PDB file of all heavy atoms in Angstrom:
ATOM      1  N   LYS A 274      44.686  41.131  32.638  1.00 93.00           N
ATOM      2  CA  LYS A 274      43.370  41.238  32.009  1.00 93.00           C
ATOM      3  C   LYS A 274      43.448  40.641  30.610  1.00 93.00           C
ATOM      4  O   LYS A 274      44.329  40.997  29.832  1.00 93.00           O
ATOM      5  CB  LYS A 274      42.980  42.713  31.903  1.00 93.00           C
ATOM      6  CG  LYS A 274      42.951  43.407  33.254  1.00 93.00           C
ATOM      7  CD  LYS A 274      42.564  44.867  33.147  1.00 93.00           C
ATOM      8  CE  LYS A 274      43.585  45.707  32.445  1.00 93.00           C
ATOM      9  NZ  LYS A 274      43.335  47.148  32.533  1.00 93.00           N
ATOM     10  N   GLY A 275      42.507  39.779  30.285  1.00 97.00           N
ATOM     11  CA  GLY A 275      42.514  39.115  28.975  1.00 97.00           C
ATOM     12  C   GLY A 275      41.719  39.906  27.951  1.00 97.00           C
ATOM     13  O   GLY A 275      40.498  39.804  27.882  1.00 97.00           O
ATOM     14  N   VAL A 276      42.425  40.681  27.163  1.00 98.00           N
ATOM     15  CA  VAL A 276      41.782  41.487  26.125  1.00 98.00           C
ATOM     16  C   VAL A 276      41.295  40.561  25.007  1.00 98.00           C
ATOM     17  O   VAL A 276      42.068  39.760  24.480  1.00 98.00           O
ATOM     18  CB  VAL A 276      42.802  42.514  25.571  1.00 98.00           C
ATOM     19  CG1 VAL A 276      42.323  43.137  24.267  1.00 98.00           C
ATOM     20  CG2 VAL A 276      43.076  43.587  26.624  1.00 98.00           C
ATOM     21  N   VAL A 277      40.011  40.658  24.675  1.00 98.00           N
ATOM     22  CA  VAL A 277      39.431  39.773  23.651  1.00 98.00           C
ATOM     23  C   VAL A 277      39.245  40.556  22.348  1.00 98.00           C
ATOM     24  O   VAL A 277      38.653  41.636  22.350  1.00 98.00           O
ATOM     25  CB  VAL A 277      38.052  39.234  24.109  1.00 98.00           C
ATOM     26  CG1 VAL A 277      37.469  38.311  23.037  1.00 98.00           C
ATOM     27  CG2 VAL A 277      38.161  38.512  25.439  1.00 98.00           C
ATOM     28  N   ARG A 278      39.752  39.995  21.283  1.00 98.00           N
ATOM     29  CA  ARG A 278      39.653  40.654  19.964  1.00 98.00           C
ATOM     30  C   ARG A 278      38.814  39.787  19.031  1.00 98.00           C
ATOM     31  O   ARG A 278      38.938  38.555  19.070  1.00 98.00           O
ATOM     32  CB  ARG A 278      41.064  40.800  19.400  1.00 98.00           C
ATOM     33  CG  ARG A 278      41.161  41.654  18.176  1.00 98.00           C
ATOM     34  CD  ARG A 278      41.537  43.090  18.462  1.00 98.00           C
ATOM     35  NE  ARG A 278      42.793  43.181  19.162  1.00 98.00           N
ATOM     36  CZ  ARG A 278      43.024  44.041  20.153  1.00 98.00           C
ATOM     37  NH1 ARG A 278      42.099  44.877  20.561  1.00 98.00           N
ATOM     38  NH2 ARG A 278      44.182  44.063  20.746  1.00 98.00           N
ATOM     39  N   ASP A 279      38.021  40.414  18.174  1.00 98.00           N
ATOM     40  CA  ASP A 279      37.186  39.637  17.256  1.00 98.00           C
ATOM     41  C   ASP A 279      37.918  39.332  15.946  1.00 98.00           C
ATOM     42  O   ASP A 279      39.082  39.724  15.770  1.00 98.00           O
ATOM     43  CB  ASP A 279      35.872  40.395  16.973  1.00 98.00           C
ATOM     44  CG  ASP A 279      36.122  41.708  16.226  1.00 98.00           C
ATOM     45  OD1 ASP A 279      37.277  42.010  15.861  1.00 98.00           O
ATOM     46  OD2 ASP A 279      35.144  42.454  16.005  1.00 98.00           O
ATOM     47  N   ASN A 280      37.243  38.646  15.036  1.00 98.00           N
ATOM     48  CA  ASN A 280      37.835  38.329  13.728  1.00 98.00           C
ATOM     49  C   ASN A 280      37.558  39.417  12.689  1.00 98.00           C
ATOM     50  O   ASN A 280      38.494  39.934  12.071  1.00 98.00           O
ATOM     51  CB  ASN A 280      37.268  37.001  13.202  1.00 98.00           C
ATOM     52  CG  ASN A 280      38.013  35.792  13.761  1.00 98.00           C
ATOM     53  OD1 ASN A 280      39.024  35.373  13.217  1.00 98.00           O
ATOM     54  ND2 ASN A 280      37.527  35.245  14.871  1.00 98.00           N
ATOM     55  N   GLY A 281      36.274  39.767  12.514  1.00 98.00           N
ATOM     56  CA  GLY A 281      35.909  40.631  11.390  1.00 98.00           C
ATOM     57  C   GLY A 281      36.423  42.057  11.525  1.00 98.00           C
ATOM     58  O   GLY A 281      37.143  42.563  10.659  1.00 98.00           O
ATOM     59  N   GLY A 282      36.057  42.700  12.628  1.00 98.00           N
ATOM     60  CA  GLY A 282      36.457  44.095  12.827  1.00 98.00           C
ATOM     61  C   GLY A 282      37.969  44.245  12.859  1.00 98.00           C
ATOM     62  O   GLY A 282      38.536  45.201  12.305  1.00 98.00           O
ATOM     63  N   HIS A 283      38.619  43.285  13.487  1.00 98.00           N
ATOM     64  CA  HIS A 283      40.080  43.283  13.573  1.00 98.00           C
ATOM     65  C   HIS A 283      40.695  43.302  12.176  1.00 98.00           C
ATOM     66  O   HIS A 283      41.574  44.129  11.871  1.00 98.00           O
ATOM     67  CB  HIS A 283      40.491  42.019  14.341  1.00 98.00           C
ATOM     68  CG  HIS A 283      41.953  41.795  14.474  1.00 98.00           C
ATOM     69  ND1 HIS A 283      42.592  40.704  13.930  1.00 98.00           N
ATOM     70  CD2 HIS A 283      42.916  42.501  15.099  1.00 98.00           C
ATOM     71  CE1 HIS A 283      43.880  40.759  14.227  1.00 98.00           C
ATOM     72  NE2 HIS A 283      44.112  41.834  14.929  1.00 98.00           N
ATOM     73  N   MET A 284      40.204  42.432  11.306  1.00 98.00           N
ATOM     74  CA  MET A 284      40.777  42.374   9.951  1.00 98.00           C
ATOM     75  C   MET A 284      40.557  43.683   9.206  1.00 98.00           C
ATOM     76  O   MET A 284      41.469  44.190   8.550  1.00 98.00           O
ATOM     77  CB  MET A 284      40.114  41.244   9.148  1.00 98.00           C
ATOM     78  CG  MET A 284      40.598  39.876   9.522  1.00 98.00           C
ATOM     79  SD  MET A 284      40.145  38.677   8.257  1.00 98.00           S
ATOM     80  CE  MET A 284      38.447  38.349   8.647  1.00 98.00           C
ATOM     81  N   VAL A 285      39.344  44.206   9.335  1.00 99.00           N
ATOM     82  CA  VAL A 285      39.007  45.417   8.564  1.00 99.00           C
ATOM     83  C   VAL A 285      39.907  46.581   8.990  1.00 99.00           C
ATOM     84  O   VAL A 285      40.502  47.275   8.155  1.00 99.00           O
ATOM     85  CB  VAL A 285      37.509  45.773   8.771  1.00 99.00           C
ATOM     86  CG1 VAL A 285      37.194  47.138   8.175  1.00 99.00           C
ATOM     87  CG2 VAL A 285      36.624  44.699   8.153  1.00 99.00           C
ATOM     88  N   ALA A 286      40.029  46.772  10.299  1.00 98.00           N
ATOM     89  CA  ALA A 286      40.816  47.922  10.776  1.00 98.00           C
ATOM     90  C   ALA A 286      42.299  47.746  10.436  1.00 98.00           C
ATOM     91  O   ALA A 286      42.957  48.685   9.986  1.00 98.00           O
ATOM     92  CB  ALA A 286      40.622  48.089  12.278  1.00 98.00           C
ATOM     93  N   LEU A 287      42.831  46.542  10.659  1.00 98.00           N
ATOM     94  CA  LEU A 287      44.270  46.351  10.417  1.00 98.00           C
ATOM     95  C   LEU A 287      44.606  46.490   8.935  1.00 98.00           C
ATOM     96  O   LEU A 287      45.613  47.108   8.573  1.00 98.00           O
ATOM     97  CB  LEU A 287      44.737  44.993  10.934  1.00 98.00           C
ATOM     98  CG  LEU A 287      44.756  44.815  12.454  1.00 98.00           C
ATOM     99  CD1 LEU A 287      45.593  43.598  12.829  1.00 98.00           C
ATOM    100  CD2 LEU A 287      45.290  46.030  13.179  1.00 98.00           C
ATOM    101  N   LYS A 288      43.774  45.914   8.095  1.00 98.00           N
ATOM    102  CA  LYS A 288      44.029  46.019   6.652  1.00 98.00           C
ATOM    103  C   LYS A 288      44.000  47.500   6.245  1.00 98.00           C
ATOM    104  O   LYS A 288      44.877  47.977   5.520  1.00 98.00           O
ATOM    105  CB  LYS A 288      42.960  45.201   5.905  1.00 98.00           C
ATOM    106  CG  LYS A 288      42.863  45.449   4.415  1.00 98.00           C
ATOM    107  CD  LYS A 288      43.850  44.591   3.639  1.00 98.00           C
ATOM    108  CE  LYS A 288      43.689  44.724   2.125  1.00 98.00           C
ATOM    109  NZ  LYS A 288      44.550  45.685   1.484  1.00 98.00           N
ATOM    110  N   TRP A 289      43.016  48.218   6.737  1.00 98.00           N
ATOM    111  CA  TRP A 289      42.876  49.643   6.411  1.00 98.00           C
ATOM    112  C   TRP A 289      44.109  50.424   6.870  1.00 98.00           C
ATOM    113  O   TRP A 289      44.595  51.321   6.183  1.00 98.00           O
ATOM    114  CB  TRP A 289      41.605  50.191   7.089  1.00 98.00           C
ATOM    115  CG  TRP A 289      41.322  51.631   6.781  1.00 98.00           C
ATOM    116  CD1 TRP A 289      40.565  52.114   5.743  1.00 98.00           C
ATOM    117  CD2 TRP A 289      41.793  52.778   7.492  1.00 98.00           C
ATOM    118  NE1 TRP A 289      40.548  53.486   5.780  1.00 98.00           N
ATOM    119  CE2 TRP A 289      41.282  53.923   6.837  1.00 98.00           C
ATOM    120  CE3 TRP A 289      42.589  52.962   8.623  1.00 98.00           C
ATOM    121  CZ2 TRP A 289      41.548  55.220   7.268  1.00 98.00           C
ATOM    122  CZ3 TRP A 289      42.867  54.253   9.060  1.00 98.00           C
ATOM    123  CH2 TRP A 289      42.343  55.369   8.382  1.00 98.00           C
ATOM    124  N   SER A 290      44.626  50.050   8.038  1.00 98.00           N
ATOM    125  CA  SER A 290      45.736  50.823   8.624  1.00 98.00           C
ATOM    126  C   SER A 290      47.008  50.736   7.789  1.00 98.00           C
ATOM    127  O   SER A 290      47.823  51.659   7.787  1.00 98.00           O
ATOM    128  CB  SER A 290      46.025  50.340  10.053  1.00 98.00           C
ATOM    129  OG  SER A 290      46.665  49.060  10.035  1.00 98.00           O
ATOM    130  N   MET A 291      47.188  49.636   7.086  1.00 98.00           N
ATOM    131  CA  MET A 291      48.472  49.435   6.395  1.00 98.00           C
ATOM    132  C   MET A 291      48.719  50.511   5.335  1.00 98.00           C
ATOM    133  O   MET A 291      49.811  51.043   5.238  1.00 98.00           O
ATOM    134  CB  MET A 291      48.535  48.036   5.764  1.00 98.00           C
ATOM    135  CG  MET A 291      48.690  46.916   6.768  1.00 98.00           C
ATOM    136  SD  MET A 291      50.187  47.059   7.774  1.00 98.00           S
ATOM    137  CE  MET A 291      51.442  46.483   6.653  1.00 98.00           C
ATOM    138  N   LYS A 292      47.705  50.830   4.550  1.00 98.00           N
ATOM    139  CA  LYS A 292      47.884  51.877   3.540  1.00 98.00           C
ATOM    140  C   LYS A 292      47.712  53.259   4.161  1.00 98.00           C
ATOM    141  O   LYS A 292      48.513  54.165   3.945  1.00 98.00           O
ATOM    142  CB  LYS A 292      46.870  51.674   2.395  1.00 98.00           C
ATOM    143  CG  LYS A 292      46.983  52.709   1.297  1.00 98.00           C
ATOM    144  CD  LYS A 292      48.333  52.602   0.576  1.00 98.00           C
ATOM    145  CE  LYS A 292      48.621  53.831  -0.275  1.00 98.00           C
ATOM    146  NZ  LYS A 292      50.019  53.889  -0.718  1.00 98.00           N
ATOM    147  N   ASN A 293      46.656  53.405   4.951  1.00 98.00           N
ATOM    148  CA  ASN A 293      46.272  54.755   5.376  1.00 98.00           C
ATOM    149  C   ASN A 293      47.150  55.327   6.479  1.00 98.00           C
ATOM    150  O   ASN A 293      47.388  56.524   6.522  1.00 98.00           O
ATOM    151  CB  ASN A 293      44.796  54.760   5.781  1.00 98.00           C
ATOM    152  CG  ASN A 293      43.911  54.502   4.587  1.00 98.00           C
ATOM    153  OD1 ASN A 293      43.748  55.359   3.739  1.00 98.00           O
ATOM    154  ND2 ASN A 293      43.394  53.284   4.478  1.00 98.00           N
ATOM    155  N   ILE A 294      47.641  54.457   7.365  1.00 98.00           N
ATOM    156  CA  ILE A 294      48.552  54.961   8.407  1.00 98.00           C
ATOM    157  C   ILE A 294      50.000  54.786   7.957  1.00 98.00           C
ATOM    158  O   ILE A 294      50.782  55.731   7.926  1.00 98.00           O
ATOM    159  CB  ILE A 294      48.314  54.244   9.758  1.00 98.00           C
ATOM    160  CG1 ILE A 294      46.895  54.541  10.264  1.00 98.00           C
ATOM    161  CG2 ILE A 294      49.363  54.687  10.789  1.00 98.00           C
ATOM    162  CD1 ILE A 294      46.545  53.903  11.589  1.00 98.00           C
ATOM    163  N   TYR A 295      50.359  53.545   7.585  1.00 98.00           N
ATOM    164  CA  TYR A 295      51.787  53.250   7.345  1.00 98.00           C
ATOM    165  C   TYR A 295      52.220  53.518   5.897  1.00 98.00           C
ATOM    166  O   TYR A 295      53.410  53.501   5.598  1.00 98.00           O
ATOM    167  CB  TYR A 295      52.078  51.791   7.732  1.00 98.00           C
ATOM    168  CG  TYR A 295      51.792  51.559   9.205  1.00 98.00           C
ATOM    169  CD1 TYR A 295      50.581  51.018   9.627  1.00 98.00           C
ATOM    170  CD2 TYR A 295      52.708  51.949  10.178  1.00 98.00           C
ATOM    171  CE1 TYR A 295      50.298  50.850  10.977  1.00 98.00           C
ATOM    172  CE2 TYR A 295      52.434  51.781  11.528  1.00 98.00           C
ATOM    173  CZ  TYR A 295      51.222  51.231  11.916  1.00 98.00           C
ATOM    174  OH  TYR A 295      50.948  51.075  13.254  1.00 98.00           O
ATOM    175  N   ASP A 296      51.259  53.716   5.027  1.00 98.00           N
ATOM    176  CA  ASP A 296      51.530  53.991   3.614  1.00 98.00           C
ATOM    177  C   ASP A 296      52.368  52.891   2.961  1.00 98.00           C
ATOM    178  O   ASP A 296      53.347  53.172   2.261  1.00 98.00           O
ATOM    179  CB  ASP A 296      52.231  55.357   3.457  1.00 98.00           C
ATOM    180  CG  ASP A 296      52.140  55.854   2.017  1.00 98.00           C
ATOM    181  OD1 ASP A 296      51.264  55.357   1.273  1.00 98.00           O
ATOM    182  OD2 ASP A 296      52.947  56.715   1.638  1.00 98.00           O
ATOM    183  N   VAL A 297      52.012  51.646   3.217  1.00 98.00           N
ATOM    184  CA  VAL A 297      52.676  50.547   2.513  1.00 98.00           C
ATOM    185  C   VAL A 297      51.652  49.829   1.629  1.00 98.00           C
ATOM    186  O   VAL A 297      50.449  49.866   1.898  1.00 98.00           O
ATOM    187  CB  VAL A 297      53.362  49.531   3.464  1.00 98.00           C
ATOM    188  CG1 VAL A 297      54.554  50.141   4.158  1.00 98.00           C
ATOM    189  CG2 VAL A 297      52.398  48.948   4.455  1.00 98.00           C
ATOM    190  N   ASP A 298      52.175  49.201   0.586  1.00 98.00           N
ATOM    191  CA  ASP A 298      51.313  48.552  -0.399  1.00 98.00           C
ATOM    192  C   ASP A 298      51.536  47.048  -0.377  1.00 98.00           C
ATOM    193  O   ASP A 298      52.599  46.580   0.058  1.00 98.00           O
ATOM    194  CB  ASP A 298      51.645  49.091  -1.791  1.00 98.00           C
ATOM    195  CG  ASP A 298      51.270  50.553  -1.918  1.00 98.00           C
ATOM    196  OD1 ASP A 298      50.100  50.872  -1.642  1.00 98.00           O
ATOM    197  OD2 ASP A 298      52.159  51.374  -2.243  1.00 98.00           O
ATOM    198  N   PRO A 299      50.572  46.306  -0.896  1.00 98.00           N
ATOM    199  CA  PRO A 299      50.782  44.860  -1.015  1.00 98.00           C
ATOM    200  C   PRO A 299      52.086  44.600  -1.774  1.00 98.00           C
ATOM    201  O   PRO A 299      52.397  45.310  -2.740  1.00 98.00           O
ATOM    202  CB  PRO A 299      49.563  44.401  -1.822  1.00 98.00           C
ATOM    203  CG  PRO A 299      48.508  45.419  -1.509  1.00 98.00           C
ATOM    204  CD  PRO A 299      49.233  46.716  -1.336  1.00 98.00           C
ATOM    205  N   GLY A 300      52.849  43.626  -1.332  1.00 98.00           N
ATOM    206  CA  GLY A 300      54.132  43.331  -1.972  1.00 98.00           C
ATOM    207  C   GLY A 300      55.306  44.013  -1.285  1.00 98.00           C
ATOM    208  O   GLY A 300      56.452  43.587  -1.425  1.00 98.00           O
TER     209      GLY A 300
END
Side-chain angles (χ1 to χ4, degrees):
K274 302 180 293 190
V276 166
V277 180
R278 190 96 58 220
D279 65 4
N280 276 274
H283 177 243
M284 284 196 280
V285 171
L287 291 196
K288 166 86 175 95
W289 182 90
S290 73
M291 288 301 282
K292 180 65 195 167
N293 294 287
I294 297 181
Y295 299 97
D296 197 19
V297 291
D298 293 306

